[in-house]
Amino acid sequence: ILLYGAYFTYFALLLGESYHASPFIIGIILSSMSLSTALVSSQLGRITRRFPATTLIKAAFPIYGLALVMIPLMPSLGFFFLPAVIFGIAHGINLPSILTEVAGLAPLEHRAAFTSINSMMIRLGQTLGPPLIGLVYIYASLDAAFFVAALLALAAPPIAIVLSRIIQHSARRVE
């Protein structure tokens, strides 16, 4: 989610500053991410019959990383649809899978609390992403901001594994 905040803030900035894209074009490109998210998440039920949610979560982060690395490497404005759609695919895999995993781990009587904490973490990531990546932009460059975000995406699966184990342990203690 930290990546999502960084993506929306700095992707639009890159398109406007470096490619002089109009607000309408920026909106269309950003919307392609949301469209691919919707399409993938609408098929996630079928996908999860073949792959467990934890596998999908682990797979989503390298996909995020790929999209973020691609952004500063695009040669012209029209190519930006590709990383936007790829980012959307990762998002469409990741968010529903995390919600499924959280709901499945939480005991029924505490499920609301677990999903509330998950929602809080989503908002926290969306809030912290732009200023944290902004520091990279200030002290390095706009391209570096995307490369650092890609590194964060690649670091996320090991972090997710550790957090998943902590949640499982906490859920067992609550029972």
Side-chain angles (χ1 to χ4, degrees), residues 3-23 25-34 66-74 76-88 129-130 133-134 137 142-143 145-146 149:
L3 306 173
Y4 180 80
Y7 166 84
F8 261 103
T9 303
Y10 297 100
F11 193 35
L13 192 62
L14 175 74
L15 295 174
E17 283 186 4
S18 299
Y19 293 88
H20 308 290
S22 70
I25 296 299
I26 293 170
I28 294 294
I29 293 171
L30 291 175
S31 294
S32 68
M33 186 280 276
S34 298
L66 173 65
L68 290 164
V69 164
M70 290 174 69
I71 289 170
L73 303 176
M74 293 295 100
S76 66
L77 189 61
F79 284 94
F80 282 100
F81 283 102
L82 184 59
V85 168
I86 292 171
F87 193 93
I133 298 299
Y137 176 38
L142 191 52
D143 289 353
F146 291 104

Side-chain angles (χ1 to χ4, degrees), residues 105-139:
L105 291 173
L108 186 58
E109 63 274 9
H110 299 289
R111 194 162 290 158
F114 274 73
T115 55
S116 293
I117 290 169
N118 181 61
S119 294
M120 180 192 71
M121 296 305 293
I122 288 171
R123 295 297 168 232
L124 184 62
Q126 289 174 338
T127 302
L128 294 177
L132 289 176
I133 298 299
L135 291 172
V136 177
Y137 176 38
I138 289 168
Y139 292 107

Side-chain angles (χ1 to χ4, degrees), residues 45-64:
R46 291 174 32 190
I47 296 169
T48 54
R49 280 182 243 150
R50 297 184 75 176
F51 305 101
T54 53
T55 300
L56 294 173
I57 293 166
K58 291 173 198 171
F61 286 99
I63 298 169
Y64 278 130

